[in-house]
Amino acid sequence: MNYPNRLNKTYNRHINYENRGMSLEDDINKSNDYYRLYDLAIIYKKPTPITLMEVDYKNNIINKAKFKIPSTTDYNGIYKGKYIDFEAKETMSKTSFPLANIHTHQIEHLKSIYKHGGIGFIIVRFNKLGITFLLEINKLNIDNRKSIPLSYFKEYGYIIEEGFNPRLNYIKIIDKLLEV
Amino acid sequence: MNYPNRLNKTYNRHINYENRGMSLEDDINKSNDYYRLYDLAIIYKKPTPITLMEVDYKNNIINKAKFKIPSTTDYNGIYKGKYIDFEAKETMSKTSFPLANIHTHQIEHLKSIYKHGGIGFIIVRFNKLGITFLLEINKLNIDNRKSIPLSYFKEYGYIIEEGFNPRLNYIKIIDKLLEV
């Protein structure tokens, strides 16, 4: 793979997007909408897990609740008959992705998905660089690491093409993974 | 399949469970815990979708929120490399399952999963009879129907074995479906 070239090309294209104010979550949700509209993949973001504390069931109103630490990842679904599961994170760092951004049990969950024959990965956007990577979970070794350097993503990950629609065409990378 | 016999056997066994106060959701969640513990399947209940209205992010407290109509189903995950997706419902009726219990778009979602090569189904418990069925989505025709009669479940569905652990061994039915 011709990484340096692809990287420069993508980098330049993305510079313009840097301050457009679209979050990674927005981009992924909109891409998933696109995939569903064209019946390519069925992938959803899971709702945010909460603990209910005070509920007015009569009026369907929650008066008190707390955010819970999620047991799994944010996104899952199906593509070409395969189970897909991933977590997506942004970082402002230009040099590495701090692993504090992902819960250890989320990594464990993804490794377990891989073991069961599913496709598990993380999507990481380096906001200041305007580059978004997909890194397969079986390439992710977190032993004694505090962060994953950008160079690691360049070597073992895939740059996700960005565009108008879908904004983040990550299933194109999954196609590559399925070819192997 | 020897339905009448299995039915009676299961029916008798379940009579005792009728008033134990365990909800279908509890039983499925506990069964999923069991499957994960023994690394057989990774299936989770999705969090309940809500619309946040007032959040105190500093203290991690939600002061107002509303329940949302779910866009998909309650449960999904992976078993033997296959994408699994289902909705589970209880009914107090002894004769039929009212389709008002399931949103039309949930049925559409499950049919779409089937089309994409996943395994989609509904789990329906007849509380007064103490019988829980698994019905594959491709056997579920809802055109102009208000309910699905018990006899339909007996003919086209599978009775899920109940026990101590797992409480509802529904992946045993999936094994049967995968054999075909």
Side-chain angles (χ1 to χ4, degrees):
Chain A
M1 230 168 313
N2 198 352
Y3 261 119
N5 273 347
R6 283 184 63 205
L7 186 57
N8 285 332
K9 203 177 143 203
T10 315
Y11 182 79
N12 289 331
R13 189 145 57 82
H14 288 197
I15 281 282
N16 311 318
Y17 288 73
E18 197 187 326
N19 291 312
R20 65 186 167 170
M22 284 301 174
S23 73
L24 178 60
E25 184 181 321
D26 271 337
D27 284 351
I28 294 174
N29 288 344
K30 290 275 167 32
S31 304
N32 289 341
D33 290 347
Y34 174 92
Y35 294 147
R36 281 199 306 278
L37 184 66
Y38 290 96
D39 205 20
L40 298 169
I42 310 170
I43 299 165
Y44 280 94
K45 182 176 189 297
K46 287 180 216 162
T48 308
I50 56 163
T51 305
L52 296 173
M53 295 163 82
E54 228 183 278
V55 181
D56 173 359
Y57 281 105
K58 213 173 151 190
N59 296 306
N60 196 34
I61 292 277
I62 297 156
N63 285 321
K64 202 165 207 171
K66 262 188 169 175
F67 292 107
K68 249 202 295 205
I69 294 175
S71 16
T72 64
T73 45
D74 268 354
Y75 303 88
N76 74 356
I78 186 169
Y79 177 57
K80 290 188 175 168
K82 289 279 181 183
Y83 177 83
I84 307 294
D85 199 308
F86 64 98
E87 186 67 20
K89 293 290 177 194
E90 299 175 79
T91 179
M92 295 309 270
S93 164
K94 290 177 179 178
T95 53
S96 70
F97 171 67
L99 280 167
N101 282 346
I102 296 193
H103 297 291
T104 316
H105 65 270
Q106 291 181 313
I107 306 274
E108 296 306 321
H109 169 76
L110 286 170
K111 291 209 182 273
S112 184
I113 292 303
Y114 177 74
K115 229 182 88 189
H116 281 257
I119 296 176
F121 52 88
I122 59 172
I123 288 180
V124 173
R125 174 176 285 168
F126 287 82
N127 278 322
K128 302 257 184 194
L129 307 177
I131 311 175
T132 309
F133 291 95
L134 184 154
L135 182 67
E136 294 166 273
I137 194 64
N138 53 318
K139 301 275 175 66
L140 183 57
N141 194 339
I142 57 163
D143 298 342
N144 302 315
R145 297 202 71 98
K146 291 233 151 120
S147 65
I148 309 164
L150 176 64
S151 58
Y152 192 88
F153 284 97
K154 287 183 187 169
E155 190 167 352
Y156 297 103
Y158 297 84
I159 293 173
I160 303 176
E161 245 181 47
E162 300 200 21
F164 177 65
N165 209 357
R167 290 194 195 166
L168 270 181
N169 199 1
Y170 67 90
I171 69 172
K172 210 171 156 182
I173 313 285
I174 303 178
D175 279 332
K176 266 189 216 177
L177 304 179
L178 290 174
E179 268 170 31
V180 184
Chain B
M1 227 170 312
N2 200 352
Y3 261 119
N5 273 347
R6 285 185 62 205
L7 187 56
N8 284 332
K9 203 177 143 203
T10 314
Y11 182 78
N12 289 333
R13 188 145 57 84
H14 288 200
I15 281 281
N16 311 318
Y17 288 74
E18 198 186 327
N19 293 313
R20 65 185 167 169
M22 284 301 174
S23 73
L24 178 58
E25 184 182 320
D26 270 337
D27 284 351
I28 294 175
N29 288 343
K30 290 274 166 33
S31 304
N32 289 342
D33 290 347
Y34 174 91
Y35 294 147
R36 281 199 305 278
L37 184 66
Y38 289 95
D39 205 21
L40 298 169
I42 310 170
I43 299 164
Y44 280 95
K45 182 175 189 296
K46 286 180 216 163
T48 308
I50 56 162
T51 305
L52 296 174
M53 295 163 80
E54 228 184 277
V55 181
D56 173 358
Y57 281 106
K58 212 174 151 188
N59 295 305
N60 196 33
I61 291 279
I62 298 156
N63 285 321
K64 203 164 207 172
K66 260 189 169 175
F67 291 107
K68 248 202 297 207
I69 294 175
S71 16
T72 63
T73 45
D74 268 354
Y75 304 88
N76 75 355
I78 186 169
Y79 177 57
K80 290 188 176 169
K82 290 277 182 185
Y83 177 83
I84 307 294
D85 198 309
F86 63 98
E87 186 66 20
K89 295 289 177 194
E90 299 176 78
T91 179
M92 295 309 271
S93 163
K94 289 178 180 176
T95 54
S96 70
F97 171 65
L99 280 168
N101 281 348
I102 296 194
H103 297 289
T104 316
H105 65 269
Q106 292 181 314
I107 306 274
E108 295 307 320
H109 169 77
L110 286 170
K111 293 211 182 271
S112 185
I113 292 302
Y114 176 74
K115 229 183 86 190
H116 282 256
I119 297 176
F121 52 87
I122 59 171
I123 288 180
V124 172
R125 175 177 285 170
F126 287 81
N127 278 322
K128 301 256 184 196
L129 306 177
I131 311 176
T132 308
F133 291 95
L134 185 155
L135 183 68
E136 293 166 274
I137 193 64
N138 53 317
K139 302 274 176 66
L140 183 58
N141 193 341
I142 57 162
D143 299 341
N144 303 317
R145 296 201 73 100
K146 291 234 150 115
S147 66
I148 309 164
L150 176 65
S151 59
Y152 192 88
F153 283 97
K154 286 184 189 169
E155 190 166 352
Y156 296 103
Y158 297 84
I159 293 173
I160 303 176
E161 245 181 45
E162 300 200 22
F164 178 65
N165 211 357
R167 289 194 195 166
L168 268 182
N169 200 1
Y170 66 90
I171 68 172
K172 209 170 157 182
I173 312 287
I174 302 178
D175 278 332
K176 265 189 216 177
L177 304 179
L178 290 175
E179 269 170 30
V180 185

